[in-house]
Amino acid sequence: KPGEQKHSKEPSSLQCMHLAVVACGDRLEETLIMLKSAVLFSNRRLCFHIFAEDSLKPEFEKKLREWPSSYTKKFEYNIYPITFSVGNAQEWKKLFKPCAAQRLFLPVILKDVDSLLYVDTDVLFLRPIDDIWHILKEFNSTQLAAMAPEHEIPKIGWYSRFARHPYYGTTGVNSGVMLMNLTRIRNTQFKNSMIPSGLTWEEMLYPLYQKYKNYITWGDQDLLNIIFYFNPECLYVFPCQWNYRPDHCMYGSNCKGAEEEGVSILHGNRGVYHDDKQPTFKALYEVIRDFPFEDNLFQSLYYPLQSKFLDTVHTLCGRIPQVFLKQIEKTMKKVYENRVIVYLGANHRY
């Protein structure tokens, strides 16, 4: 009707792939490099959901506006304050790393979002998000989230050796890359160790934390492990190349999927992008950080990466450069081919 305000979503937001991240403290640069890696390689439109402390919001807006329009047209974004809907907000905020527990509340906050990929700030995409997004279609009727194992080898895994609380499977799962069907999470009654009947996701979070808070080490990740211990049918486990961490190579190569296909998503936990303990991880981070958006991917990203890797061969992770390079080379070839096809199509004359 004339003068009536529209509340319908834009068609683009219905079609896009939703990516969420939580940034507090000194995580601004890491988060921007992660978002940059997502935009560089993905095909479909992206919707970023950035949860950040109030002091970081203007910086995010300023930096994202500086990106060239050829890339900013590939995504839209929203920046949200840090909020916790149940329990003590200060307690949640201090759980493990600053604000990390925010990810537990995504199904409650993002009520209009059906599915979502959550990642930690220290993640880098080495192939299109489209490829992990397709895993949502592989969920069976009971699965509502997907994560990778915390370790491939139980005898050197953290949970299998030290955990004092229930955890998923034989090695637990790592929550740094988590694919979620939020609609299913909101509609499910979860089995738990507190009452015989089921609880909704929101009802369960604070009582579960209160019950296990003296036994958890890794904060919200431990809570997710406890939830999926009691509800194993709800979890889809994807292979280690989708959440590749220093643990996969620092004790010798133990991620077969990455050996075969290359790393799909790199997770530089333990602060390895910012020290010299794992120079292969640091090399990838710095090359993506320093890549000028409009430059040639091979000349300004892949070749500098190869060169940096030559300096890392003395390390256990550096001895297997093909694991780090295989997938990103394949990805860049596809990006290049797509651009050539688009260019030729635009200039084709009959």
Side-chain angles (χ1 to χ4, degrees):
K1 292 176 184 177
E4 196 174 83
Q5 194 174 355
K6 272 190 173 182
H7 292 285
S8 60
K9 288 184 183 178
E10 291 295 322
S12 63
S13 66
L14 295 171
Q15 299 302 318
C16 70
M17 300 177 292
H18 295 268
L19 177 69
V21 65
V22 180
C24 285
D26 60 356
R27 298 302 181 108
L28 176 76
E29 183 193 74
E30 255 187 17
T31 307
L32 287 165
I33 307 310
M34 179 277 290
L35 297 173
K36 183 179 182 180
S37 71
V39 172
L40 278 177
F41 301 131
S42 291
N43 301 314
R44 271 176 61 191
R45 187 170 179 77
L46 294 159
C47 286
F48 295 146
H49 302 274
I50 303 165
F51 291 80
E53 290 173 309
D54 293 342
S55 59
L56 294 179
K57 184 179 178 181
E59 278 299 301
F60 271 114
E61 290 176 336
K62 177 176 175 284
K63 295 289 185 186
L64 290 171
R65 277 199 302 268
E66 289 170 1
W67 289 5
S69 61
S70 56
Y71 285 92
T72 56
K73 69 183 182 186
K74 291 176 68 177
F75 68 89
E76 55 196 72
Y77 71 91
N78 281 302
I79 301 174
Y80 308 82
I82 303 294
T83 52
F84 304 99
S85 61
V86 293
N88 183 312
Q90 286 308 309
E91 215 173 357
W92 284 121
K93 197 168 182 180
K94 291 173 184 170
L95 182 65
F96 192 46
K97 289 180 182 173
C99 308
Q102 181 72 80
R103 87 181 96 187
L104 296 172
F105 295 87
L106 296 178
V108 182
I109 298 166
L110 301 174
K111 293 185 188 298
D112 295 329
V113 177
D114 175 63
S115 295
L116 178 84
L117 176 65
Y118 165 86
V119 294
D120 285 349
T121 60
D122 52 8
V123 154
L124 292 171
F125 294 95
L126 306 187
R127 68 190 288 181
I129 290 182
D130 310 59
D131 297 340
I132 191 169
W133 194 256
H134 288 153
I135 291 175
L136 285 163
K137 293 180 179 174
E138 296 177 22
F139 284 13
N140 65 25
S141 60
T142 62
Q143 289 166 340
L144 46 75
M147 288 184 275
E150 171 63 21
H151 216 287
E152 303 304 300
I153 305 168
K155 66 180 179 181
I156 56 174
W158 193 91
Y159 284 107
S160 42
R161 289 186 296 160
F162 304 119
R164 295 186 295 151
H165 59 76
Y167 58 89
Y168 179 87
T170 55
T171 60
V173 283
N174 183 281
S175 59
V177 179
M178 186 176 178
L179 197 57
M180 292 182 271
N181 184 317
L182 299 183
T183 302
R184 286 187 180 183
I185 290 174
R186 286 187 286 264
N187 294 336
T188 297
Q189 294 281 319
F190 291 88
K191 298 189 291 291
N192 61 86
S193 59
M194 294 165 292
I195 62 168
S197 59
L199 289 169
T200 67
W201 186 266
E202 190 175 16
E203 289 170 341
M204 174 175 57
L205 290 177
Y206 194 61
L208 198 68
Y209 167 64
Q210 288 297 318
K211 179 170 183 176
Y212 290 104
K213 67 179 178 181
N214 294 327
Y215 304 101
I216 59 178
T217 302
W218 306 113
D220 49 307
Q221 176 173 290
D222 289 350
L223 289 177
L224 290 165
N225 267 282
I226 295 164
I227 290 168
F228 290 111
Y229 169 84
F230 290 107
N231 300 271
E233 72 284 357
C234 292
L235 191 67
Y236 178 108
V237 179
F238 51 64
C240 48
Q241 66 265 32
W242 292 105
N243 186 350
Y244 190 91
R245 301 176 304 283
D247 283 7
H248 289 120
C249 54
M250 63 192 283
Y251 307 116
S253 184
N254 60 53
C255 175
K256 286 191 170 56
E259 288 171 12
E260 291 164 9
E261 294 182 26
V263 174
S264 296
I265 295 179
L266 193 75
H267 184 181
N269 64 346
R270 303 173 182 263
V272 294
Y273 296 148
H274 312 293
D275 60 32
D276 296 317
K277 290 176 183 170
Q278 298 297 339
T280 40
F281 283 76
K282 189 177 183 182
L284 264 158
Y285 178 79
E286 289 179 346
V287 164
I288 293 174
R289 179 193 68 194
D290 298 340
F291 173 70
F293 270 106
E294 305 281 19
D295 275 21
N296 179 286
L297 279 167
F298 280 99
Q299 285 179 347
S300 301
L301 198 152
Y302 188 70
Y303 298 140
L305 190 57
Q306 281 185 316
S307 175
K308 275 180 178 277
F309 270 28
L310 290 174
D311 298 328
T312 73
V313 292
H314 61 286
T315 67
L316 279 167
C317 294
R319 288 178 193 171
I320 48 170
Q322 70 284 359
V323 165
F324 295 88
L325 294 172
K326 190 182 290 187
Q327 189 59 241
I328 195 168
E329 181 182 13
K330 198 169 156 186
T331 298
M332 287 193 292
K333 279 181 179 170
K334 278 186 184 169
V335 172
Y336 180 72
E337 284 165 8
N338 288 344
R339 284 181 187 167
V340 169
I341 290 165
V342 168
Y343 177 79
L344 288 175
N347 289 280
H348 193 72
R349 295 286 181 271
Y350 289 100

